[in-house]
Amino acid sequence: MSDAIDGLCVTRAGPLALLQDAGRCGVRRLGVTQGGPADQHGWAWANHLVGNAWGTPALEVTFGGLELVAERALVVAVAGADLAATLDGEPLPGWRSLAIKAGQRLAFDTPVNGLRAYLAVAGGFSAPPVLGSVSCVVREGLGGHDGQGQRLVEGDRLRVTPCRAGSGRERAGEAPPQEAIDYRQPAVLSLLPGAQVGEFSGESLYRAFNMPWRVDDRADRMGVRLAGPPLHCRVTSMISEGIGLGAVQVPPDGQPIALLNDRQTIGGYPRLGALTPLACSRLAQCLPGQEVRLKAVPSERALDEYRRFRRTFA
Amino acid sequence: MSGPFPKGLPRLEPAGLDGCLVRLFDAIDEANMPWLTALVRDCEAAFGDRLIDLVPSYTTLLVIFDPLRLSPAEARQRLSELLARLTPDEETSYAPVKELPVWYDASVGPELGRLAELAGMSRDEVIACHSERDYRVFALGFAPGFAFMGSVDARLEAPRLDTPRRRVPAGSVAVAGRQTSAYPAVTPGGWNLIGRTPAVLFDRDREGFSLLQVGDRVRFVPIERAEFERLGGDSRPMEEAR
């Protein structure tokens, strides 16, 4: 933190750009949400491609519209969504690291494929940790580049931790092609059934797992509403209890809501279960109107898949 | 298993790849809290650095663990062992009461009159009724440091507003159903406002961050406007207050 230096200056603010590390831990009992990257997969790859360790702060750019100017030479990588990023007006390739020079202009335009792009710089962005994390949660006013939970605005400066040359952490800076997901394809979201799954009617369960759901435009970092024929649950409300990442709650209107990183810590609606972390990542890249399907999976298989994913970044 | 648990409880329920929900009770009761805080304490000791987070609430504890180092099945096994020798946390049972000073006034608590009407009481009687008993913190949620406390006297039971306010000033003391709370920061909110506390409920620079913690006993103490201001309270009416 103390040796942080200026890295990038915001010359145009898009709708939403937030600094995210792995999220805030140990304070959910105080009503403080988790935060962290909505698409952990894209975020992890951006960091990995520039040699950063898991958990290094990177920038989550939603929708695009952001323009930054480098204040010094940097090694950067963009992963996750293709938001038609350019470097000095030329298309900027995603899913690989590249060196940029002081004065170069990095711009994100509009979504081409996916919704959230991740920009990482070698060494990592530097910001004051708040409650143990720099993850930016606007609703709570916590974290982010200034510690106050603010989205980036024009004139903001992003500081970076200098990268030690010859530290031996340089990596082959290109992701295997299969990691660059085509988010425009219909998504199949793995879900671990929860304790109330038996309270839903048989017909509702059939529909939940066999019919397509449409991503509603009521979607943000708190949760994504899925639209389709209403699901019926015998339980309509419960005493509020802790809610994990990816929990799919079904309020009385029967339209499921998948709860993401900035969800409230407790809630009282019955749940179908919980999306796996990688299913949350995938959903976070869906645009309103896109079709998704829910697929029940056993936890052993989901755990294998997640541990395989994490091994890349160990 | 000893303890005052209802039939079929405690029960371990799946909660995603990195979670397990321990259901201890089936009804809201302040007698639950020493058992919940005891389980929090035991989980911290038993899971060590494999523990990511804990969310105690009313009747349950959500345990979040590191899925790289513990599987849901292993977490269940550990939790079963903890539950088999769980004893209530005496510290929670006999914790000193935390006092929250409150300026009860219609200018900062616009539903004071509504509660009086619903209860068939005078405003002063509502204030006396709200401030005469100790409450227990059942859960924190909704926003950092927002404590769900209960239970208020049945006569003060009041449904949430039909249309939530877009902006509730920080410190607003409120009632909904048979619960009461104070808003730590400006947020939207649909609870009935009856006064305002000058206490800082959430402070990122304070150890523990939140003034109130799950299991705490809390009492609201009526104060006059002058005292409220002396304690740093913002006495401006609803729209202007920070």
Side-chain angles (χ1 to χ4, degrees):
Chain A
M1 181 63 212
S2 54
D3 55 356
I5 49 176
D6 286 340
L8 291 153
C9 180
V10 179
T11 50
R12 191 181 71 210
L16 189 63
L18 308 168
L19 218 50
Q20 298 293 345
D21 61 12
R24 209 160 263 118
C25 298
V27 283
R28 267 184 252 180
R29 76 184 72 172
L30 307 180
V32 178
T33 195
Q34 167 175 15
D39 171 11
Q40 197 182 67
H41 171 265
W43 167 86
W45 270 106
N47 267 325
H48 187 64
L49 292 169
V50 294
N52 291 343
W54 179 268
T56 304
L59 193 62
E60 178 177 286
V61 184
T62 303
F63 293 114
L66 178 75
E67 196 178 276
L68 308 151
V69 170
E71 303 197 281
R72 67 184 62 247
L74 297 166
V75 174
V76 304
V78 174
D82 176 356
L83 301 180
T86 53
L87 186 65
D88 285 341
E90 296 296 319
L92 180 146
W95 302 93
R96 59 177 302 168
S97 63
L98 64 162
I100 64 174
K101 299 190 202 74
Q104 284 200 293
R105 188 172 299 268
L106 177 59
F108 296 88
D109 189 14
T110 55
V112 173
N113 178 9
L115 184 58
R116 294 176 163 99
Y118 292 87
L119 169 68
V121 298
F125 289 105
S126 176
V130 179
L131 277 59
S133 164
V134 309
S135 280
C136 186
V137 178
V138 175
R139 176 169 49 88
E140 296 178 345
L142 299 177
H145 64 293
D146 65 349
Q148 304 300 316
Q150 299 297 306
R151 63 188 67 191
L152 291 188
V153 298
E154 193 181 320
D156 280 341
R157 293 195 127 83
L158 288 167
R159 295 171 69 75
V160 301
T161 305
C163 196
R164 281 169 210 85
S167 61
R169 306 231 324 271
E170 293 87 358
R171 291 201 170 97
E174 192 162 2
Q178 69 273 15
E179 298 295 338
I181 298 168
D182 186 349
Y183 306 114
R184 294 164 294 198
Q185 298 301 314
V188 179
L189 307 176
S190 296
L191 179 144
L192 306 171
Q196 289 96 44
V197 75
E199 304 292 334
F200 288 85
S201 71
E203 195 194 342
S204 286
L205 286 181
Y206 178 82
R207 281 205 303 267
F209 294 108
N210 293 281
M211 307 293 271
W213 292 92
R214 191 173 47 75
V215 174
D216 194 83
D217 55 10
R218 285 165 292 179
D220 57 22
R221 286 181 45 86
M222 287 181 76
V224 174
R225 195 176 283 258
L226 302 176
L231 303 181
H232 298 289
C233 185
R234 275 183 289 275
V235 179
T236 52
S237 89
M238 314 187 306
I239 297 168
S240 282
E241 56 193 40
I243 301 206
L245 178 68
V248 178
Q249 68 176 21
V250 181
D253 70 4
Q255 305 290 281
I257 303 171
L259 296 167
L260 299 183
N261 301 70
D262 290 1
R263 69 195 178 282
Q264 294 186 6
T265 52
I266 61 173
Y269 291 126
R271 299 178 294 277
L272 276 176
L275 299 182
T276 65
L278 291 172
C280 292
S281 288
R282 182 66 186 84
L283 179 60
Q285 292 292 5
C286 289
L287 287 150
Q290 260 186 271
E291 220 169 69
V292 299
R293 285 173 184 268
L294 302 176
K295 180 185 171 196
V297 296
S299 71
E300 295 77 12
R301 192 195 303 170
L303 191 61
D304 283 347
E305 186 195 25
Y306 187 65
R307 285 178 171 175
R308 243 188 345 264
F309 161 69
R310 287 292 298 268
R311 267 201 290 276
T312 308
F313 309 103
Chain B
M1 169 63 47
S2 59
F5 305 107
K7 192 164 180 283
L9 299 181
R11 189 166 70 224
L12 300 174
E13 299 181 355
L17 204 55
D18 62 353
C20 184
L21 186 106
V22 188
R23 192 174 297 285
L24 289 171
F25 300 98
D26 58 6
I28 297 173
D29 189 331
E30 68 169 281
N32 299 351
M33 303 321 288
W35 294 89
L36 276 165
T37 55
L39 188 56
V40 164
R41 177 198 61 199
D42 291 357
C43 283
E44 283 170 337
F47 283 76
D49 61 4
R50 287 172 163 78
L51 187 68
I52 301 292
D53 229 320
L54 292 167
V55 193
S57 177
Y58 298 99
T59 56
T60 56
L61 175 67
L62 176 62
V63 180
I64 305 289
F65 49 85
D66 180 355
L68 301 186
R69 300 168 64 203
L70 216 55
S71 70
E74 288 161 343
R76 288 174 71 93
Q77 180 57 40
R78 286 190 185 208
L79 286 167
S80 303
E81 288 162 17
L82 294 184
L83 287 169
R85 47 187 165 79
L86 186 66
T87 55
D89 179 3
E90 298 296 329
E91 256 177 61
T92 301
S93 307
Y94 303 108
V97 177
K98 289 183 178 172
E99 293 192 341
L100 274 189
V102 183
W103 174 40
Y104 292 94
D105 189 84
S107 68
V108 293
E111 275 77 58
L112 200 51
R114 181 187 191 215
L115 256 68
E117 215 168 284
L118 286 170
M121 291 179 180
S122 71
R123 291 181 185 193
D124 284 344
E125 285 167 337
V126 168
I127 295 166
C129 188
H130 185 258
S131 58
E132 78 184 0
R133 66 167 68 186
D134 296 346
Y135 299 98
R136 183 72 76 171
V137 177
F138 291 127
L140 272 71
F142 170 65
F146 187 97
F148 292 86
M149 295 177 265
S151 297
V152 300
D153 189 293
R155 290 169 297 170
L156 297 187
E157 181 169 352
R160 286 173 173 75
L161 305 180
D162 287 340
T163 308
R165 287 190 171 85
R166 291 179 60 182
R167 188 180 177 284
V168 175
S172 293
V173 172
V175 171
R178 292 194 60 189
Q179 300 200 71
T180 186
S181 190
Y183 286 80
V186 175
T187 53
W191 288 31
N192 299 277
L193 310 187
I194 58 172
R196 203 178 285 170
T197 178
V200 176
L201 293 145
F202 193 85
D203 180 353
R204 60 171 70 183
D205 298 320
R206 176 169 56 204
E207 199 189 329
F209 310 118
S210 176
L211 182 63
L212 304 177
Q213 308 275 341
V214 168
D216 279 355
R217 286 193 298 154
V218 178
R219 180 176 290 210
F220 297 94
V221 179
I223 55 171
E224 296 300 323
R225 178 179 186 149
E227 175 71 353
F228 174 81
E229 286 174 344
R230 194 186 66 76
L231 292 170
D234 181 352
S235 56
R236 288 174 295 178
M238 295 296 296
E239 310 74 39
E240 297 154 39
R242 60 179 183 258

